[in-house]
Amino acid sequence: MTTHPTRGVTAPDKVDHGCPAAVGRQYPGGARGKALELHEVSKSYGSQPPVMALRRVSLTVSAGELLAIVGPSGSGKTTLLHVMGTLERPTSGTVRIDGTNAANLSDNQLAALRAHRIGFVFQQFFLAERQTALENVADGLLYAGVDARTRSEQAAQALARVGLAQRERFRPTHMSGGERQRIAIARALVGAPALLLADEPTGNLDTQTGDQIVELLLELNTDGTTIVVITHDHALAERLHRQVHVRDGRIMSDTAAGNPYADAKDE
C-alpha cells in the first residue's frame, strides 16, 4: 500500500499564527504577498561527519509566481522540496509559508499547515486506485475540517478546472497517465492553497502529455495559483517565468535576482 507523503494526522490542530488556516490566499489588484520565504536554510544528515544537503539557501516566492527549481540528481532540489513543503524541518534557518514561521509549529500544526496552505503534486501521482477521480480529489480536503458534501462539491469544481469534469466517476486504472496527473493537480488545488509544489510533474509522462501538463500549469498560474516546479528538465524549466538553479545544496543562479551566486562558499 502506498502512503501519501502529506498525510498521517487525523485531527490536526488549528493554525492561528496571524492568518486564517483555511484560506488559500488571493491577492487582488496586483498586490503581492510572500507565499514562501526561506532565509539561510541549511539541512544536514548524520554526524560522522554530517552530509550537507542544503547550504544557507535563501529564496522568496511571491504570490502568483511560477518558477522552476532545476538541478541534476544529488543537487539538493528534493531536500529543498521537502523543506519548502514542511515535510522535513531544516537544521538551521527560517521557513515561512504564507507568513507563518514553520519553526513555531508542532508536528500536528505543521500537518494542518500543509492541509490548508500547501498543495503537492508528485511524479508518482499517489492516487487510490479503487476510488473514483472525484473521491481522490475530495481526499485532498480530508484533514481540512470540511464536511463530506462540501468536499464532493469542491472536488467536482477542481476536476472541472483541470478539464476532467466528464471523468469524475472514473477510476485511475481506467485513465491515462496525463489524466492521472490532472487528478493529482486537482487534488492539490482543491483547498485553494497558498502554494503548489510540483515534483517532476512530467517525469512519468510521454513528451506530448508532458507538454499538456505544462500548459495546464501555465493556465493555472495565469488564474493566480502560485506554483513551484522541481525538475531536472531544463527545457521544462525554460518554459516557466523564473528559473532557480541548484547544485551541491546551493542556489547557483536565480533569473529573478540576476545573481549568479558564483562566489558561494562552503560553511
Side-chain angles (χ1 to χ4, degrees):
M1 177 180 295
T2 300
T3 301
H4 193 282
T6 66
R7 298 178 183 172
V9 174
T10 55
D13 296 342
K14 181 179 179 182
V15 178
D16 58 0
H17 295 263
C19 44
V23 176
R25 296 261 178 120
Q26 299 295 322
Y27 297 85
R32 278 192 165 189
K34 295 177 181 178
L36 171 69
E37 297 173 85
L38 305 182
H39 179 68
E40 294 286 309
V41 167
S42 294
K43 179 66 177 178
S44 63
Y45 298 96
S47 59
Q48 298 293 333
V51 175
M52 296 299 300
L54 295 177
R55 301 170 184 265
R56 301 178 63 182
V57 171
S58 293
L59 176 70
T60 298
V61 179
S62 298
E65 278 202 88
L66 172 61
L67 68 146
I69 294 177
V70 59
S73 177
S75 62
K77 63 183 186 298
T78 298
T79 302
L80 186 55
L81 166 73
H82 290 172
V83 170
M84 290 190 299
T86 73
L87 297 172
E88 294 187 53
R89 295 181 185 267
T91 304
S92 62
T94 304
V95 178
R96 292 182 182 272
I97 305 295
D98 201 23
T100 297
N101 187 343
N104 294 334
L105 305 183
S106 67
D107 289 344
N108 273 10
Q109 289 174 320
L110 280 178
L113 182 77
R114 288 191 294 272
H116 293 299
R117 302 191 195 176
I118 307 173
F120 292 89
V121 178
F122 293 96
Q123 180 178 348
Q124 298 89 351
F125 312 143
F126 290 110
L127 301 176
E129 294 186 352
R130 295 186 179 181
Q131 293 184 330
T132 65
L134 186 70
E135 291 167 337
N136 269 283
V137 175
D139 276 357
L141 295 169
L142 201 57
Y143 302 115
V146 180
D147 64 86
R149 180 177 179 179
T150 303
R151 289 202 304 268
S152 182
E153 291 172 350
Q154 293 185 5
Q157 294 170 4
L159 283 168
R161 192 177 178 191
V162 301
L164 290 179
Q166 306 303 316
R167 305 282 281 172
E168 63 180 38
R169 299 296 176 183
F170 285 74
R171 294 180 179 179
T173 51
H174 297 121
M175 304 177 80
S176 68
E179 288 174 327
R180 293 181 193 182
Q181 192 60 291
R182 286 173 183 266
I183 295 172
I185 292 171
R187 181 181 59 199
L189 292 173
V190 68
L195 178 66
L196 177 65
L197 299 175
D199 183 21
E200 301 284 4
T202 64
N204 279 344
L205 305 175
D206 61 71
T207 301
Q208 181 177 357
T209 305
D211 286 344
Q212 293 170 356
I213 294 299
V214 174
E215 287 298 326
L216 174 61
L217 294 175
L218 290 166
E219 291 171 10
L220 293 171
N221 176 250
T222 298
D223 290 340
T225 303
T226 307
I227 303 174
V228 177
V229 176
I230 290 81
T231 184
H232 69 279
D233 187 340
H234 288 266
L236 186 161
E238 288 172 2
R239 296 181 62 182
L240 308 188
H241 304 153
R242 175 183 173 191
Q243 298 86 41
V244 177
H245 292 262
V246 297
R247 189 174 65 209
D248 298 330
R250 301 183 181 89
I251 292 179
M252 305 305 293
S253 65
D254 183 343
T255 57
N259 186 343
Y261 294 91
D263 58 350
K265 299 183 185 299
D266 292 340
E267 294 183 319

